[in-house]
Amino acid sequence: MLVLDRTFFINSFEKMAELAEVQRNHWSKLDSDIGDGDHGINMTIGFRDVTKKLDAMRESDEDISELLRSVGMSLMSKVGGASGPLYGSFFMRAANDYKGQMEVTFPEFCQIIKNGVDQIVKIGKAQHGDKTMLDAFLPGLEVLFDQDLENEPIKAFEAFVARMKQGSDETIPLIAKKGRAMRLGERAIGFRDPGSESSWMLMNIYLEELKKI
Ligand code: ADP
Ligand code: MG
């Protein structure tokens, strides 16, 4: 069974921070179409704080839940926009059930992601089809938990990320029912939701790190 250790998580956080820098303008451009144009800025503000913590994380003996909580705290406390508390609680809530573990199995990792998404739903109160990051996460999770998590982890996570990417595409023709884009009404039609794009790309970082194990 595939087991994920602290290094997997810390390396993933490092790559997520790099991704945010590279995608900063793209994510903000998407947000300028239907929001206030700061999604990329918000993500780099949060992940730059994560970057500052990476060395200390590597030297610490923090368990998986403490590492995830630390990332969540950065996103939640440093980011002004809606995505800060949402992604912040995604990471923070994620590992609550795995306290004291220095590694998690792949099925436990998938459950961590599911718990995080449940928290986004609880806080943001959006549903599938509301033109938010949940339009990527929710159908993605359905596909993920249909897979053989114990025997084919990479295939399972590839299917998860592919469905999330498709879910992001599916936000384009929608009217927004949550977030800033809601105010645009029909004028939001034809534009991708920025959070749906950043969310599949962040999960794709986990996929890339899984493939290296
Ligand atoms: P803000 O909207 O405050 O400027 P960002 O631009 O950083 O924050 O993030 C916007 C993204 O947050 C949206 O594209 C959407 O995916 C996500 N979002 C906004 N509100 C919600 C919600 N209630 N539930 C889930 N996701 C949401
Ligand atoms: Mg914004």
Side-chain angles (χ1 to χ4, degrees), residues 188-209:
I189 292 174
F191 298 99
R192 179 186 305 276
D193 174 66
S196 71
E197 182 88 329
S198 58
S199 59
W200 82 256
M201 288 185 168
L202 287 173
M203 295 304 101
N204 191 50
I205 296 293
Y206 276 145
L207 174 60
E208 285 172 5
E209 292 304 307

Side-chain angles (χ1 to χ4, degrees), residues 11-28 39-48 50-51 54 87 91 161 164 194-209:
N11 288 348
S12 296
F13 303 151
E14 183 173 13
K15 299 289 181 202
M16 286 177 188
E18 288 170 17
L19 174 82
E21 298 298 332
V22 172
Q23 298 298 334
R24 186 171 192 255
N25 289 341
H26 170 57
W27 291 344
S28 284
H39 186 56
I41 296 168
N42 287 338
M43 297 298 280
T44 52
I45 290 172
F47 274 104
R48 279 174 197 174
V50 173
T51 300
L54 290 172
Y87 276 129
F91 285 101
V161 173
M164 283 192 73
S196 71
E197 182 88 329
S198 58
S199 59
W200 82 256
M201 288 185 168
L202 287 173
M203 295 304 101
N204 191 50
I205 296 293
Y206 276 145
L207 174 60
E208 285 172 5
E209 292 304 307

Side-chain angles (χ1 to χ4, degrees), residues 148-192:
D148 184 350
L149 300 182
E150 302 210 345
N151 298 308
E152 304 231 56
I154 303 295
K155 186 170 164 259
F157 216 78
E158 266 170 350
F160 170 56
V161 173
R163 185 64 188 90
M164 283 192 73
K165 187 167 191 281
Q166 187 193 332
S168 176
D169 293 344
E170 288 164 0
T171 66
I172 295 172
L174 298 178
I175 293 173
K177 307 255 175 57
K178 281 280 184 290
R180 277 176 208 282
M182 203 169 77
R183 301 173 204 166
L184 290 178
E186 296 200 343
R187 279 179 292 147
I189 292 174
F191 298 99
R192 179 186 305 276

Side-chain angles (χ1 to χ4, degrees), residues 9 68 86-87 89-98 104-123 133-134 136-146 149 157 160 164 203 206:
F9 283 95
L68 286 161
L86 294 168
Y87 276 129
S89 43
F90 169 78
F91 285 101
M92 276 180 83
R93 170 63 186 84
N96 267 7
D97 298 330
Y98 299 97
V104 292
T105 65
F106 180 73
E108 285 174 335
F109 173 61
C110 295
Q111 192 60 42
I112 284 173
I113 292 175
K114 184 178 183 311
N115 291 346
V117 173
D118 285 347
Q119 198 65 8
I120 296 176
V121 173
K122 202 167 158 190
I123 290 175
M133 57 177 72
L134 290 171
F137 274 126
L138 291 174
L141 281 176
E142 275 183 32
V143 166
L144 178 63
F145 282 90
D146 267 352
L149 300 182
F157 216 78
F160 170 56
M164 283 192 73
M203 295 304 101
Y206 276 145

Side-chain angles (χ1 to χ4, degrees), residues 31 36 38-39:
D31 195 33
D36 57 354
D38 65 355
H39 186 56

